[in-house]
C-alpha cells in the first residue's frame, strides 16, 4: 500500500450511519479544509458506499483497502496526490 | 500494484474485491458451524409444528438477504434528505413493486371477487386514522435517531452491533408503553377507524395498476431529486496483496459462492429477494412482520416482572402486527421468524468475514440508540407495524394504510435527519 504515514487519520470505528460520512465531511470541510490526504478508518461496511461519493463530490479521489476482517481504510486524496 | 476501477453503480462489489481469499480460516470454520446450527434448529422445528420450519427459513433468509445487500429502510429515507442519494430507496421501491404483484395474485386466489366485502385474511389491511399517521411519524423519527429500523436492528444484532441490541431493548420498552396505553388509543381512535382496501372499488387489476403507477412516479421523483449527482462516479480499489490473484470467473462453483456470500448484493437485488421471501411466507401463512411478536415479548416480560399489560381491547380483530398470545408457551412461529433474522445475519456476516463486535462510541450513542428505539417502538405499536409490517407488507396488500404510513415515515425521517444534523 502506498499510503503516506504522515497523512492525518480519522478513526470512526464504532460509529454507524450516517456518522462515519458526516464526520468525514466535517473533517474535509471544516477541520482540515483543503487537506491533501485523509485516511478514514471504519468498521461499518455501509460507510464504504457513502463516504467515497461524498468525498468525490468535493473533488477528491478515493481508495479503499481492507485492514483486517470487518475493518477498512478509505484513503481520500486530492487530485495531485492521485498518481503514486 | 493491481488496481481495479469501481463505478458508483457497482459500489457494492468493493468489499468483496478487498477481502483476502485464504480458503480456510476461523471465519470459515465459524460460518460452517453456524450453518450446522441453522440446520439443527430447522430439524428440531420440523418435529414441533408445521409452521415453525417455514418461519425459521423465512427469518434466516431475511437475515441473510439483509446482511448481504445491507438493506436498510432508514438509509432509503434518510439518504434522500441527507445526501440526495436514492440508491436504497430504488431498491425498496423495486421490492414493493414485486411484492404488490405477488400479493395481488395471492389475494385474488383467496378472495376472487374483490368487491364482495370479504377481505383476504392475514393481508395487512389495517384501520386507517390518526394512529397510523402518528405512529409513522414517531417511527420515522426514531429509526433515524437510532440508526436502524426494527427489522434492521434485528439483523444488525447478528452482525455484532452492540448499539442494535440497545435499540431493540428500547423498542421493547416503547412497545410496553404502547401496550399500557393501548386501550385509550383503541377507545378514542382505532376502534372507530375505517379500513380502506383499494381493490374494493378498483378491482385487483385497477388497484395493482394504480399502485405500480405510484411506484413509477416515486422512482422518477427519486431520480429527479438525485439529479444524476452520482452518475459516472468511480474510484480506485487496490486489490490487496493477500488477494493479488484475479477472482475466479463467477460461473465456477467457487465463483457463485463468492458472488452470494462474499460480494455485497445491490439494494435492487436485496429488495427483490426480500419481496420473494414475503410472497412465499404469505402463500404459506401470512406476510412478513416482526413487531407483533416483539410486542408480545414486551407484554410477557412485563407480566413476568409483575407488571402485566392487562387485556388489550380489539387486537383479535386486527390482522398484522399485534401481539398474539399463546397460552402456556413462550415459543411461537413468530418467535422463530424474529430469532431466525438474527441467526441468518450472524451466519452471513461470518461467511462474509464481516462479523465483529462493534461497540458504540461514547455514552451519547447509547442514549441515542435507546431513545430512538423507544420512540420507534411506541410508533410501531401504534401504527400496527414497522417498516416491514405496516409498509413493506401493507402497500403490497393494496391497502391505503400502507401509503399513509409511508408518507408519515418520510416526514418523520425528515425531522429525524434535521435533528441528527445538529447532533454530532
Amino acid at each position: 500500500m502506498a499510503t503516506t504515514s504522515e497523512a492525518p487519520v480519522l478513526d470512526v470505528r464504532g460509529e454507524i450511519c450516517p456518522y462515519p460520512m458526516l464526520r468525514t465531511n466535517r473533517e474535509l470541510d471544516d477541520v482540515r479544509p483543503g487537506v491533501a490526504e485523509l485516511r478514514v478508518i471504519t468498521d461499518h461496511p455501509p460507510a464504504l458506499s457513502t463516504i467515497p461519493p461524498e468525498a468525490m463530490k468535493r473533488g477528491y479521489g478515493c481508495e479503499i483497502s481492507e485492514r483486517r476482517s470487518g475493518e477498512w481504510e478509505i484513503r481520500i486524496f486530492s487530485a495531485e496526490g492521485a498518481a503514486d | 500494484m493491481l488496481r481495479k476501477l469501481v463505478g458508483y453503480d457497482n459500489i457494492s462489489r468493493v468489499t468483496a474485491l478487498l477481502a483476502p481469499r485464504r480458503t480456510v480460516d476461523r471465519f470459515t470454520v465459524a460460518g460452517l458451524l453456524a450453518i450446522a446450527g441453522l440446520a439443527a434448529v430447522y430439524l428440531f422445528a420440523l418435529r414441533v409444528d408445521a409452521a415453525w420450519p417455514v418461519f425459521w427459513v423465512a427469518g434466516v433468509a431475511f437475515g441473510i438477504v439483509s446482511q448481504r445487500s445491507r438493506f436498510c429502510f432508514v438509509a432509503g429515507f434518510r439518504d434522500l434528505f441527507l445526501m440526495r442519494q436514492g440508491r436504497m430507496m430504488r431498491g425498496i421501491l423495486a421490492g414493493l413493486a414485486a411484492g404488490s404483484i405477488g400479493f395481488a395474485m395471492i389475494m385474488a386466489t383467496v378472495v376472487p371477487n374483490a368487491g364482495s366485502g370479504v377481505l383476504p385474511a392475514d393481508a395487512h389491511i389495517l384501520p386507517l386514522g390518526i394512529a397510523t399517521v402518528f405512529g409513522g411519524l414517531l417511527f420515522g423519527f426514531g429509526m433515524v435517531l437510532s440508526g436502524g429500523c426494527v427489522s434492521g436492528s434485528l439483523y444488525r444484532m447478528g452482525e455484532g452491533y452492540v448499539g442494535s441490541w440497545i435499540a431493540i431493548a428500547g423498542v421493547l420498552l416503547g412497545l410496553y408503553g404502547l401496550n399500557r396505553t393501548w386501550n385509550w388509543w383503541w377507545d378514542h381512535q382505532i376502534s372507530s377507524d375505517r379500513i380502506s382496501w383499494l381493490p374494493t372499488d378498483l378491482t385487483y387489476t385497477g388497484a395493482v395498476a394504480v399502485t405500480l403507477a405510484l411506484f413509477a412516479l416515486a422512482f422518477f421523483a427519486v431520480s429527479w431529486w438525485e439529479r444524476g449527482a452520482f452518475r459516472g462516479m468511480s474510484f480506485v480499489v487496490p486489490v490487496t496483496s493477500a488477494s493479488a490473484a484475479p477472482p475466479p470467473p463467477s460461473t465456477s462453483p467457487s465463483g457463485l459462492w463468492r458472488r452470494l456470500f462474499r460480494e455485497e448484493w445491490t439494494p435492487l437485488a436485496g429488495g427483490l429477494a426480500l419481496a420473494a421471501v414475503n410472497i412465499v411466507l404469505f402463500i404459506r401463512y401470512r406476510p412478513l412482520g416482526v413487531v407483533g411478536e416483539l410486542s408480545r415479548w414486551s407484554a410477557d416480560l412485563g407480566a413476568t416482572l409483575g407488571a402485566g399489560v392487562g387485556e388489550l381491547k380489539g387486537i383479535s380483530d386486527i390482522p398484522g402486527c399485534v401481539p398474539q398470545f399463546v397460552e402456556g408457551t413462550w415459543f411461537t412461529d413468530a418467535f422463530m421468524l424474529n430469532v431466525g433474522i438474527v441467526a441468518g445475519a450472524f451466519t452471513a456476516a461470518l461467511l462474509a468475514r464481516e462479523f465483529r463486535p462493534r461497540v458504540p462510541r461514547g455514552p451519547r450513542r447509547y442514549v441515542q440508540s435507546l431513545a430512538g428505539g423507544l420512540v420507534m417502538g411506541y410508533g410501531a405499536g401504534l401504527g400496527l407495524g414497522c417498516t416491514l409490517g405496516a409498509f413493506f407488507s401493507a402497500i403490497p396488500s393494496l391497502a391505503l394504510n400502507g401509503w399513509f404510513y409511508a408518507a408519515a415515515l418520510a416526514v418523520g425521517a425528515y425531522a429525524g435527519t434535521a435533528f441528527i444534523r445538529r447532533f454530532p
Side-chain angles (χ1 to χ4, degrees), chain A residues 11 13-19 21 43-45 48 53-54 56-57 62-64 66 69-71 84, chain B residues 3 15 18-20 27 70 78 82-83 161 230 233-236 238 356 358-359 361 365 368 420 423:
Chain A
D11 183 354
R13 282 177 296 178
E15 293 279 32
I16 62 165
C17 278
Y19 290 104
M21 184 268 292
D43 57 4
H44 188 53
L48 301 178
E54 288 298 303
M56 291 164 78
K57 273 187 188 169
C62 284
E63 222 176 54
I64 303 174
E66 190 180 50
S69 293
E71 192 176 304
D84 55 40
Chain B
R3 281 162 189 275
T15 46
L18 300 168
F27 278 102
R70 316 207 187 291
R78 179 199 60 212
L82 201 56
M83 347 181 243
Y161 286 90
F230 300 93
M233 268 192 186
S234 58
F235 54 97
V236 180
R356 61 183 270 154
R358 294 161 167 98
V359 183
R361 294 270 284 232
R365 295 285 182 256
Q368 215 173 327
I420 59 168
F423 193 83

Side-chain angles (χ1 to χ4, degrees), chain B residues 321-358:
Chain B
C321 299
V322 290
Q324 307 275 348
F325 297 98
V326 182
E327 204 60 49
T329 178
W330 235 84
F331 302 98
T332 61
D333 50 19
F335 180 93
M336 300 301 282
L337 180 76
N338 286 11
V339 175
I341 292 174
V342 182
F346 173 66
T347 308
L350 285 175
L351 294 172
R353 294 171 167 78
E354 287 177 1
F355 176 84
R356 61 183 270 154
R358 294 161 167 98

Side-chain angles (χ1 to χ4, degrees), chain B residues 255-402:
Chain B
L256 181 65
W257 176 264
R258 197 182 154 77
R259 277 222 68 128
L260 287 179
F261 289 106
R262 299 298 302 281
E263 296 191 5
E264 195 179 306
W265 304 2
T266 61
L268 184 69
L272 294 176
L274 291 184
V277 173
N278 209 359
I279 291 167
V280 170
L281 193 63
F282 190 15
I283 290 174
R284 295 297 307 275
Y285 293 97
R286 57 176 186 263
L288 279 170
V290 294
V291 160
E293 180 67 358
L294 291 174
S295 180
R296 182 187 69 83
W297 294 1
S298 78
D300 278 354
L301 283 172
T304 309
L305 298 172
V309 296
E311 191 216 349
L312 302 174
K313 290 185 194 171
I315 57 165
S316 54
D317 301 331
I318 302 173
C321 299
V322 290
Q324 307 275 348
F325 297 98
V326 182
E327 204 60 49
T329 178
W330 235 84
F331 302 98
T332 61
D333 50 19
F335 180 93
M336 300 301 282
L337 180 76
N338 286 11
V339 175
I341 292 174
V342 182
F346 173 66
T347 308
L350 285 175
L351 294 172
R353 294 171 167 78
E354 287 177 1
F355 176 84
R356 61 183 270 154
R358 294 161 167 98
V359 183
R361 294 270 284 232
R364 180 184 282 205
R365 295 285 182 256
Y366 285 96
V367 174
Q368 215 173 327
S369 292
L370 189 70
L374 198 79
V375 173
M376 184 161 69
Y378 197 90
L382 190 57
L384 301 172
C386 61
T387 37
L388 268 191
F391 173 61
F392 201 70
S393 293
I395 288 182
S397 295
L398 307 176
L400 205 55
N401 52 278

